[in-house]
Amino acid sequence: MASKRLDLSALHRRFVSLALSCVHREYPNKIAHVLTSDADIQAPRQLTPAFYGCFDWHSAVHGHWLLARLARIDSNLTDECCQALRQSLTKENLDNEVKYIDNNQRQAFERPYGLAWLLQLTMELDEWSKEENHQILKEVKQWRENLRTLEELVVKRLSLWLPKLSYPVRSGEHSQTAFALGLSLDYARHVNNDIFAQLIEQQSLRFFTQDKFYPFNYEPSGEDFLSAGLAEADLMRRVMKRNSERFLQWFKEFLPENNLPINLEPPSIADPTDPKLIHLAGLCLSRAWMLEGIIQMLPENSEQRNQLKDLSQRNAQAGLTAIDESHYEGGHWLGTFAVYLITRRGIN
């Protein structure tokens, strides 16, 4: 047990170092930027002054989530993580984020992936701000409050968009619907936003209730970092959390017992320096945590539960092994996926 704790501490340190190395690293940078005039031709740090590092906006957002998560749960890392959070999460910076995003020409900005991670960051700070034994509680409360206007804009954006989405997006990348709805539902329930939570639940049921015999043999695509099938099941176990029998009935038809798809085994990553091919390392990590979530709803000691648990562990090992600090192509974002997995954020 002691060695496991030591290993976990080392992983925390490793992934914090990844985030700290990039949250304020402006270049290289891929901006999803709609120009509305010559005045919009500016550097990333001027356009989005809180979240300009880590190569792109959504990675900067979830890089800050990683720092908040580990600052909160690992006291050995709190000080250095908070230095970075303190620099980014000022009221001025976040007000300018709102100013940038709240533009009719940017209605689809980072929707839904980046917006869902913003809600995860908000939830992490909100939970942290209520832990009375933390010495920097006052600052955490201020960071959480600084995010409120941006948080409200994001919830409004997603709330207006979801009812108009005729079909779910079943990709394995940023546009995927199910993964973002899972993160957003966790947030909505935490902050007791019943209207937003009910909207997500209703739309999830509309999108996915009728799905049967999911074709896992069509996965993965070569640049996936999310499994459309597992993300759907991980979302539905959240939606049906209060009715386990309903989930079990749904899942029995979605992925029948004794039908473990070989395609869910860890994939081969031919070139970890390629920014798209390294997505497969993230796929392994997200599969692992999605399988862990699904397993929570399955009967103890059932054959399917044991099979999926083993599959989760194989994907987790492959994903963690594939993270290489020397390659920024994966290093700027894979730490977040690793921390989401090892801290069991989607379950706890």
Side-chain angles (χ1 to χ4, degrees):
M1 183 64 72
S3 63
K4 288 184 178 179
R5 284 197 296 269
L6 181 63
D7 291 342
L8 194 58
S9 178
L11 287 175
H12 288 174
R13 163 61 59 188
R14 181 185 178 198
F15 299 135
V16 157
S17 296
L18 279 175
L20 289 173
S21 72
C22 74
V23 290
H24 297 130
R25 176 177 171 177
E26 189 169 10
Y27 298 105
N29 202 303
K30 177 186 176 184
I31 54 176
H33 181 44
V34 175
L35 295 168
T36 61
S37 72
D38 288 356
D40 284 335
I41 303 174
Q42 299 182 58
R45 68 185 182 279
Q46 296 168 318
L47 295 168
T48 56
F51 307 121
Y52 62 83
C54 291
F55 190 70
D56 48 43
W57 191 87
H58 52 261
S59 298
V61 170
H62 66 57
H64 285 82
W65 170 84
L66 181 161
L67 294 176
R69 180 73 172 155
L70 291 183
R72 177 186 167 201
I73 67 176
D74 191 332
S75 60
N76 293 318
L77 302 172
T78 300
D79 288 346
E80 57 196 297
C81 291
C82 286
Q83 289 179 21
L85 295 170
R86 191 175 294 122
Q87 178 178 335
S88 299
L89 302 182
T90 66
K91 186 177 189 306
E92 181 182 6
N93 283 349
L94 290 164
D95 285 348
N96 280 316
E97 293 278 343
V98 173
K99 182 179 178 181
Y100 176 79
I101 296 173
D102 194 12
N103 183 306
N104 286 336
Q105 297 300 316
R106 300 190 181 112
Q107 291 186 49
F109 177 76
E110 290 287 353
R111 187 186 73 195
Y113 182 81
L115 302 186
W117 275 114
L118 189 282
L119 297 181
Q120 280 288 300
L121 173 59
T122 303
M123 182 175 78
E124 198 68 43
L125 291 174
D126 192 78
E127 289 183 354
W128 190 8
S129 72
K130 295 170 183 174
E131 294 180 358
E132 296 181 1
N133 61 338
H134 231 290
Q135 60 183 7
I136 61 160
L137 186 61
K138 184 176 179 180
E139 273 194 293
V140 175
K141 287 183 175 180
Q142 186 60 60
W143 298 335
R144 193 269 175 267
E145 191 59 36
N146 292 346
L147 267 170
R148 195 170 299 278
T149 304
L150 183 56
E151 167 196 5
E152 291 170 352
L153 175 60
V154 167
V155 170
K156 180 180 178 182
R157 280 277 173 89
L158 293 174
S159 297
L160 290 174
W161 165 70
L162 262 179
K164 296 186 287 187
L165 186 63
S166 299
Y167 310 99
V169 179
R170 299 178 184 268
S171 76
E173 297 187 84
H174 310 88
S175 60
Q176 188 193 113
T177 303
F179 173 68
L181 293 189
L183 296 189
S184 300
L185 182 57
D186 287 348
Y187 153 84
R189 286 175 172 169
H190 169 71
V191 300
N192 297 315
N193 188 334
D194 294 338
I195 293 175
F196 189 40
Q198 289 170 11
L199 173 64
I200 295 170
E201 291 167 0
Q202 291 165 0
Q203 299 305 315
S204 298
L205 292 171
R206 174 171 70 90
F207 291 146
F208 302 122
T209 300
Q210 301 303 316
D211 285 1
K212 302 180 192 303
F213 304 105
Y214 185 84
F216 280 102
N217 57 312
Y218 290 174
E219 293 189 17
S221 295
E223 298 175 354
D224 284 356
F225 60 85
L226 300 168
S227 163
L230 292 181
E232 175 181 341
D234 196 33
L235 170 63
M236 294 298 273
R237 64 96 181 167
R238 288 172 163 98
V239 172
M240 300 178 182
K241 182 178 180 179
R242 300 177 183 89
N243 190 341
S244 59
E245 287 302 317
R246 185 184 185 192
F247 175 79
L248 289 174
Q249 183 58 43
W250 177 86
F251 190 67
K252 181 179 180 180
E253 296 182 305
F254 184 76
L255 178 59
E257 294 183 42
N258 303 317
N259 189 27
L260 190 67
I262 192 172
N263 293 53
L264 291 179
E265 292 295 334
S268 173
I269 303 168
D271 182 1
T273 69
D274 186 289
K276 287 289 191 176
L277 299 183
I278 193 59
H279 278 186
L280 293 175
L283 176 67
C284 292
L285 296 168
S286 62
R287 279 176 174 177
W289 83 57
M290 290 170 186
L291 286 164
E292 280 195 355
I294 295 163
I295 287 166
Q296 305 305 305
M297 299 289 284
L298 302 182
E300 291 282 351
N301 298 318
S302 67
E303 182 178 357
Q304 186 179 42
R305 181 184 176 117
N306 292 335
Q307 288 179 336
L308 295 183
K309 182 177 180 180
D310 291 344
L311 183 61
S312 172
Q313 292 173 347
R314 291 195 294 275
N315 274 278
Q317 182 62 42
L320 292 170
T321 301
I323 299 174
D324 187 339
E325 290 85 344
S326 64
H327 302 312
Y328 196 59
E329 292 79 5
H332 76 272
W333 65 280
L334 283 170
T336 295
F337 274 44
V339 170
Y340 194 89
L341 169 66
I342 66 176
T343 66
R344 296 169 64 84
R345 172 74 278 197
I347 299 168
N348 299 328

